Amino acid sequence: MNTIADGWFHQRREQLRNLGAHLREHIKGQAHVIGCVESVLRRGELGLAHPGRPKGSFLFVGPTGTGKTEITNAFTGYLFGGAKPLRFDMSEYQNQASVEKLIGEKVGDIGMLGRALAKAGETHGGNGGTLLFDEIEKAHPLVLDLFLQILDDASITLASGERKNLSGFYIVCTSNIGASEAMRMQSAPFASIERTVLARVNQTLRPELVGRMTEKIVFSRLPYAVQREICESMIAGELARLRGLGHDLKITPDDVEAILRAGFHKTLGARPMRGAVERFLQNRMVSALLA
């Protein structure tokens, strides 16, 4: 039994040693983010987090298309055997009835959260994962009360009466609060942008919610050079996917420039880039197949 435990720990230790490299491979232009995220995840996976709380919690803020959801997907898949975060769009939970929608309306109902947790338990053994709440600032105040409970004691009671233990989960909340200020301060040092954005966060969100987050991290906008790097990485990934389907496609530097022109966006960051890459390469492949 000890041999099995020692083997598991050795494997997990090697995985955690390589965590930073994995995140850097998937997230570009946010070097300051990766160290903070890696630190929380390592502590959580080694059992050092407070036992009565989630393994770790994050508030990711900043402009759209900068990697907030991408880094959540990356670390969740890496730590939980390819699993995806359980994602909730808080723009769908803006009225008072949202609480019932999330945790159930009547006895016997487990709500959207309960159903998501049940499905996660079936697909990857119920060994934890990540709960991702996008655009947290749009949630109704009564929904935010639920987050206080989750962050305080890592549990949630559903309308069915069932109490769910969330101590094996990471909690990620994303927000675009302060994004417009960050975009206007393009020439300012990042430390100044970070202070401005976090000040705006503290004005907008309840202090008791912000104070319970393990890390509050501001993502920086993606300049042209970083978006080029992301573009090249996405092209490589899509070409590999097409090769897996039996299609070998050759592209030129001019093709890369064309994709970059179509996908680059100052305000939306890398969000439009994936569509530009897939559209260009798949259309090129269609032309070759039908020629």
Side-chain angles (χ1 to χ4, degrees), residues 42-280:
R42 282 176 167 175
R43 298 197 306 267
E45 292 309 296
L46 291 173
L48 301 177
H50 192 287
R53 299 185 192 129
K55 283 184 174 182
S57 56
F58 301 97
L59 177 59
F60 292 154
V61 294
T64 187
T66 52
K68 301 187 291 292
T69 300
E70 187 67 26
I71 196 169
T72 307
N73 290 334
F75 78 67
T76 302
Y78 186 75
L79 295 176
F80 297 101
K84 295 181 178 180
L86 306 181
R87 180 181 176 274
F88 299 86
D89 184 348
M90 291 293 98
S91 65
E92 300 175 5
Y93 297 86
Q94 297 187 56
N95 57 41
Q96 192 165 343
S98 297
V99 174
E100 287 78 16
K101 180 180 179 181
L102 197 61
I103 64 172
E105 182 179 2
K106 55 190 176 183
V107 175
D109 185 8
I110 60 175
M112 299 293 289
L113 179 57
R115 286 190 282 276
L117 291 170
K119 185 177 180 181
E122 293 170 1
T123 54
H124 53 94
N127 296 320
T130 303
L131 291 169
L132 170 61
F133 301 98
D134 274 331
E135 297 188 287
I136 186 69
E137 73 277 9
K138 295 183 178 179
H140 190 275
L142 291 177
V143 175
L144 295 180
D145 287 341
L146 299 177
F147 290 117
L148 298 181
Q149 179 186 346
I150 291 171
L151 295 171
D152 260 346
D153 61 10
S155 69
I156 189 75
T157 303
L158 306 175
S160 64
E162 183 181 1
R163 188 177 178 86
K164 288 288 186 180
N165 179 6
L166 303 176
S167 60
F169 283 79
Y170 293 97
I171 310 299
V172 177
C173 299
T174 73
S175 174
N176 293 328
I177 294 173
S180 57
E181 289 92 334
M183 296 305 293
R184 285 198 299 269
M185 299 172 66
Q186 291 186 22
S187 59
F190 179 70
S192 299
I193 297 174
E194 187 176 43
R195 283 195 300 271
T196 300
V197 171
L198 290 178
R200 188 82 176 87
V201 167
N202 288 322
Q203 292 170 1
T204 306
L205 295 178
R206 292 160 59 177
E208 59 268 35
L209 176 64
V210 177
R212 284 169 169 79
M213 296 289 179
T214 310
E215 287 285 355
K216 283 76 70 176
I217 304 176
V218 178
F219 283 62
S220 59
R221 67 181 187 87
L222 299 180
Y224 181 84
V226 173
Q227 291 201 40
R228 170 182 281 277
E229 190 178 354
I230 292 171
C231 177
E232 292 171 348
S233 176
M234 287 181 174
I235 289 172
E238 182 65 7
L239 289 175
R241 189 187 73 85
L242 291 172
R243 278 195 299 273
L245 296 174
H247 307 306
D248 191 16
L249 185 63
K250 304 294 183 184
I251 64 167
T252 67
D254 286 343
D255 293 333
V256 175
E257 295 300 325
I259 295 170
L260 189 55
R261 284 195 300 272
F264 175 77
H265 201 289
K266 286 184 178 180
T267 305
L268 297 179
R271 193 173 295 279
M273 191 68 72
R274 188 177 302 280
V277 169
E278 293 177 354
R279 187 164 52 250
F280 186 96

Side-chain angles (χ1 to χ4, degrees), residues 1-61:
M1 185 67 177
N2 287 338
T3 303
I4 295 174
D6 289 346
W8 177 89
F9 180 75
H10 176 75
Q11 182 180 10
R12 198 60 160 173
R13 183 174 61 184
E14 289 304 306
Q15 185 186 37
L16 293 176
R17 282 175 175 169
N18 295 324
L19 175 60
H22 175 79
L23 296 179
R24 283 188 292 274
E25 181 182 345
H26 287 79
I27 309 301
K28 308 296 182 184
Q30 306 292 356
H32 66 289
V33 169
I34 290 174
C36 293
V37 171
E38 182 184 24
S39 176
V40 173
L41 297 176
R42 282 176 167 175
R43 298 197 306 267
E45 292 309 296
L46 291 173
L48 301 177
H50 192 287
R53 299 185 192 129
K55 283 184 174 182
S57 56
F58 301 97
L59 177 59
F60 292 154
V61 294

